[in-house]
Amino acid sequence: MKQQVRVGLITIGQTPRPDLVSDLSQFWNNQFEIIQEGALDGLDDSEIALLEPAAGESDLITRLADGRAVYVSHHRLTPYIQAAIERACKKGVSIAIIACTGGFDSLQAAVPIIQPSHVLEHAVTAILERGKSVALIVPTEGQVQEAKDRWSERGYLVNAVHVASPYEGKLELIHRLSGDKQVTLADSVIYDCFAFGPDYITDLSGTYRGPTFVPRVLVAKLLAGIFPQLEQ
């Protein structure tokens, strides 16, 4: 009998997140048991409001258990993510996934931590030569310049950056991307946010045929390929 590997899915908002679980599970074929822990789990609205980004702070968008989207400070969220990892480890996970492409390099755990930001960077650089052009999609206005700088420093020409919430307006975004020549002429499209799902690849494929990188898909396929099921 096969024993499922227990994976900690660490969201930067609240759990449960059935959208994340559904997308990841389609790649895993019941290979993993998903343990969800959210950085904002157990916090009420007043406590979450204290994490709203101040002027000049890097921001992140995430989702609460009731479906609302909220903006939080990247830096001040880190200890809450650390606490969520520790809760997952106490439940016996073998590996943890941070469901965000924001960098959280100070995090620690007794198990490996998958950072989608690292997976995305290495996937792009493995496939796309430096000097090629990219079109970026980010979830907040506050991340536009950060994304431009990050991918420029990695050696790519940033053709365009589009801002869109991953929680609404998908058809409008696809229409906007399809109508932007700076996007359709780019050598690659990069969704620089874990909240965008695999359907963003297929929905754009009618007008864009180049490599499209979606971190949620990359992480799911990576884990499925390197973490075998265990014999009980």
Side-chain angles (χ1 to χ4, degrees):
M1 179 180 177
K2 296 288 186 180
Q3 177 184 349
Q4 289 178 310
V5 176
R6 186 167 287 188
V7 172
L9 180 62
I10 312 301
T11 76
I12 63 170
Q14 291 180 333
T15 59
R17 283 294 300 275
D19 56 326
L20 290 178
V21 172
S22 176
D23 281 349
L24 294 170
S25 296
Q26 70 175 290
F27 295 102
W28 289 347
N29 193 28
N30 295 318
Q31 186 173 346
F32 301 108
E33 178 186 359
I34 302 173
I35 305 299
Q36 300 182 64
E37 291 289 345
L40 303 182
D41 282 354
L43 301 185
D44 60 28
D45 285 356
S46 62
E47 292 171 308
I48 294 170
L50 295 176
L51 293 171
E52 291 179 359
E57 280 191 305
S58 177
D59 62 348
L60 300 169
I61 187 172
T62 190
R63 201 171 219 175
L64 303 183
D66 61 9
R68 286 180 293 155
V70 296
Y71 295 88
V72 292
S73 162
H74 186 163
H75 172 70
R76 285 185 283 126
L77 189 67
T78 300
Y80 294 87
I81 297 175
Q82 181 65 55
I85 292 173
E86 292 168 4
R87 293 196 300 270
C89 287
K90 288 180 180 178
K91 294 180 179 179
V93 302
S94 298
I95 196 165
I97 298 170
I98 309 303
C100 179
T101 57
F104 297 97
D105 292 337
S106 64
L107 298 175
Q108 298 180 349
V111 300
I113 300 174
I114 291 184
Q115 297 256 16
S117 57
H118 298 162
V119 175
L120 177 61
E121 176 186 358
H122 290 296
V124 172
T125 56
I127 294 172
L128 199 64
E129 294 180 6
R130 287 173 174 82
K132 296 290 188 179
S133 61
V134 298
L136 309 174
I137 297 89
V138 296
T140 73
E141 290 285 352
Q143 294 182 29
V144 171
Q145 192 60 51
E146 293 177 4
K148 285 181 178 179
D149 293 344
R150 182 167 57 249
W151 290 100
S152 295
E153 289 170 2
R154 291 169 180 169
Y156 297 103
L157 175 64
V158 179
N159 270 21
V161 183
H162 282 258
V163 179
S165 168
Y167 305 120
E168 60 184 2
K170 182 182 69 171
L171 294 180
E172 187 275 332
L173 171 62
I174 297 301
H175 178 74
R176 183 158 35 107
L177 297 177
S178 300
D180 185 346
K181 288 187 177 181
Q182 294 301 314
V183 174
T184 57
L185 293 176
D187 294 305
S188 179
V189 170
I190 301 171
Y191 288 90
D192 202 342
C193 175
F194 196 82
F196 292 109
D199 50 339
Y200 282 85
I201 299 176
T202 54
D203 289 347
L204 188 60
S205 64
T207 55
Y208 184 77
R209 297 293 182 178
T212 303
F213 294 91
V214 174
R216 194 184 297 185
V217 175
L218 295 173
V219 169
K221 290 190 173 184
L222 172 67
L223 203 59
I226 67 172
F227 222 105
Q229 289 172 291
L230 303 176
E231 294 285 355
Q232 191 170 21

